[in-house]
Amino acid sequence: MPIITIEMLDGRSEEMKLSLVQDVTDAVSRSLNIDKEEVDIMLKEVKRKDWAKGGVPWPWGRTY
């Protein structure tokens, strides 16, 4: 049974997360030729204030 962990910034809607989980499940099931019920997915949401890239906190130096 594959276990997929997806880490992402917080703030996405429940509908968006459900769509992501369904799409990833479909892709893994198809690629590995296994039943969808065998695919486990964990979503880990990170608060934007706790995300940094290249030593720069979110929003990575952008001004918008």
Side-chain angles (χ1 to χ4, degrees):
M1 134 179 56
I3 301 170
I4 295 107
T5 303
I6 300 172
E7 294 186 55
M8 60 187 178
L9 290 171
D10 65 346
R12 291 177 174 85
S13 70
E14 293 303 313
E15 293 81 13
M16 292 173 79
K17 291 187 279 186
L18 177 59
S19 177
L20 172 64
V21 166
Q22 290 171 337
D23 290 348
V24 171
T25 298
D26 290 343
V28 171
S29 172
R30 186 174 50 255
S31 295
L32 299 179
N33 194 29
I34 59 175
D35 292 334
K36 292 179 184 182
E37 291 75 23
E38 295 183 56
V39 180
D40 287 357
I41 298 177
M42 292 183 286
L43 299 179
K44 294 185 177 185
E45 293 185 280
V46 178
K47 293 179 184 173
R48 292 171 188 269
K49 68 178 185 70
D50 295 332
W51 193 295
K53 182 176 185 174
V56 180
W58 175 262
W60 304 311
R62 296 183 193 146
T63 54
Y64 54 91

